[in-house]
Amino acid sequence: MDNRKSFLKGAFCGALAILLTAGVVSCGLYTKGVSASGGKTVTPDAERKLSILNSLIEESYLGEVDKKELREGLYEGYVGGLGDPYSAYYDAEETKSFMEATEGEYSGIGAVMTQSKDSGIITLTHVYEDSPAMKAGLKDEDILYKVEGKEVTGEDLTEVVSRIRGEKGTKVELTVLRGKKNEEVTVTAVRDKIETQTVQTRMLEGDIGYLAVSEFDSVTYNQYVKGLDALEGQGMKALVVDLRGNPGGNLNIVCDILDIMLPKGLIVYTQDKNGEKREMTSDEENKFTLPMTVLVNGNSASASEIYAGAIQDYGLGKIVGTQTYGKGVVQQIFDLQDGTCVKLTIAEYYTPKGRNINGKGITPDVKVEFELDEKNPEADNQLDRAVEELKKEL
């Protein structure tokens, strides 16, 4: 089986492992702003073995040797040895990309992509309006096949990111597979500065507001508040919050958002390896009182599950859709003081009622599988059901 056939075989298998937003990585649920320090952990035996490997490479390896790349590979492999899909070492370029991603402003193409943790397939799930990606002709559900002529299936997503990103005004060639026949389409996108539009709103029939959150970045809180205010200003009587395909994001941001939705009480708590608990709470200042539903699916993960879990535990609205991803752990970003960083899993989190959903996910109150209507691609039976549930309360 050739590489392309192997690529196609796994194209529709697996689940979300990591999110690529316009050439920038956003991973699960994380906290930021911590410096790492500590004593020596490499044993004398390990140092001896590294010295032998270095000598063998210098004496016998046929190709060119880049000492910097060897060192970076050493650090990456060291963290990779944990066997944790959510922990990773980022070199200087990757760190810059990651930090820009979490801030929600970057130079890229304006497309949200997901990668299967099983097959390594990368799929475009949302192309931003008027973005470089849209202008180049990319579409939702395109499968990313090549970047600058090189296949990307199964590659580390951060490495793919470094090739898609670049300075404003520069070009990147992307090849995608499209439609049921997997038509191969090659386009050239011109990179530009983009603020991630993580929140989209519109008013549905019957004065029901619709608010979709694609990820929880630093820009999301203000966009969420602005969107909610706009819907309330239009006379909203009920609300659908759509978290389908939302892979998570910043722990503090989702807690800030839930603080304006929940009554006074516990939002979520985390517990580390030493059993130490950290509680995030909401105050009495704000509370959402209109009927609401929350849409989720198998790609709703991490911070999305914190949101859905809190709404469900407080009984503020029904969760509609399919079982969520089940990522109940938190990562922390450690600054290595040289422009690089490491992201490590440091705690588990629990919903207000003490549920740990890691490996299990949030079970919807109303289970609805998405059904594609080929005659009407815009049809959304899950959204329709969420609206039906709200109308029962109006």
Side-chain angles (χ1 to χ4, degrees), residues 296-299 319-324 362-364 366-370 382:
V296 297
N297 63 11
N299 286 338
I319 311 303
V320 180
T322 56
Q323 197 79 8
T324 62
I362 299 288
T363 301
V366 182
K367 297 181 180 180
V368 184
E369 293 285 345
F370 180 76
Q382 289 178 322

Side-chain angles (χ1 to χ4, degrees), residues 122-353:
I122 300 171
T123 304
L124 280 71
T125 57
H126 178 60
V127 176
Y128 291 159
E129 288 290 332
D130 201 34
S131 66
M134 178 172 284
K135 292 175 181 177
L138 294 175
K139 299 180 179 180
D140 293 358
E141 304 307 320
D142 281 346
I143 296 172
L144 185 63
Y145 179 31
K146 297 178 181 178
V147 176
E148 297 292 355
K150 182 179 178 182
E151 292 185 30
V152 296
T153 313
E155 283 198 30
D156 179 80
L157 199 53
T158 306
E159 294 181 5
V160 177
V161 167
S162 66
R163 296 203 295 276
I164 294 179
R165 293 187 70 250
E167 294 297 322
K168 176 181 178 180
T170 59
K171 299 178 180 180
V172 59
E173 183 184 271
L174 305 172
T175 300
V176 298
L177 302 177
R178 178 174 298 165
K180 292 183 178 180
K181 296 182 179 180
N182 293 300
E183 176 189 3
E184 190 170 320
V185 179
T186 298
V187 303
T188 299
V190 181
R191 302 177 178 99
D192 201 353
K193 287 290 183 181
I194 296 171
E195 177 181 303
T196 309
Q197 296 303 307
T198 61
V199 176
Q200 296 181 339
T201 63
R202 67 179 189 269
M203 190 66 78
L204 305 176
E205 184 180 351
D207 294 325
I208 294 176
Y210 172 85
L211 189 153
V213 185
S214 62
E215 56 190 299
F216 292 95
D217 291 337
S218 296
V219 298
T220 305
Y221 177 80
N222 287 335
Q223 292 179 6
Y224 187 100
V225 171
K226 183 178 179 181
L228 196 61
D229 288 346
L231 291 171
E232 290 176 339
Q234 296 173 54
M236 174 177 64
K237 296 178 181 178
L239 175 67
V240 177
V241 176
D242 191 348
L243 300 181
R244 290 175 296 179
N246 183 324
N250 189 299
L251 174 61
N252 294 328
I253 295 299
V254 71
C255 288
D256 287 345
I257 288 173
L258 283 168
D259 186 26
I260 65 176
M261 304 298 289
L262 302 179
K264 182 178 180 180
L266 184 64
I267 297 174
V268 66
Y269 71 89
T270 63
Q271 186 168 321
D272 66 18
K273 66 189 296 183
N274 299 315
E276 183 175 344
K277 292 183 179 180
R278 176 192 172 200
E279 294 186 347
M280 278 65 81
T281 60
S282 56
D283 56 31
E284 295 179 338
E285 186 175 350
N286 298 289
K287 181 173 67 173
F288 190 76
T289 58
L290 298 177
M292 70 179 297
T293 52
V294 180
L295 279 168
V296 297
N297 63 11
N299 286 338
S300 302
S302 202
S304 294
E305 294 171 298
I306 286 179
Y307 186 106
I311 296 298
Q312 190 175 58
D313 279 5
Y314 277 95
L316 298 183
K318 291 182 179 179
I319 311 303
V320 180
T322 56
Q323 197 79 8
T324 62
Y325 185 81
K327 182 178 181 291
V329 290
V330 182
Q331 285 68 51
Q332 192 160 342
I333 309 302
F334 295 88
D335 181 2
L336 299 181
Q337 304 297 315
D338 62 352
T340 67
C341 72
V342 63
K343 175 168 62 71
L344 297 176
T345 298
I346 53 94
E348 294 181 309
Y349 72 77
Y350 297 80
T351 71
K353 288 188 175 181

Side-chain angles (χ1 to χ4, degrees), residues 71-123:
R71 289 194 298 272
E72 294 298 318
L74 176 64
Y75 308 142
E76 183 179 343
Y78 192 75
V79 177
L82 295 172
D84 178 10
Y86 306 120
S87 295
Y89 167 80
Y90 296 136
D91 64 22
E93 184 176 353
E94 293 163 350
T95 296
K96 183 174 181 292
S97 296
F98 182 84
M99 295 307 175
E100 287 181 352
T102 60
E103 293 301 324
E105 295 181 343
Y106 48 83
S107 177
I109 64 169
V112 179
M113 307 182 189
T114 59
Q115 183 178 42
S116 165
K117 65 181 178 182
D118 296 322
S119 65
I121 304 305
I122 300 171
T123 304

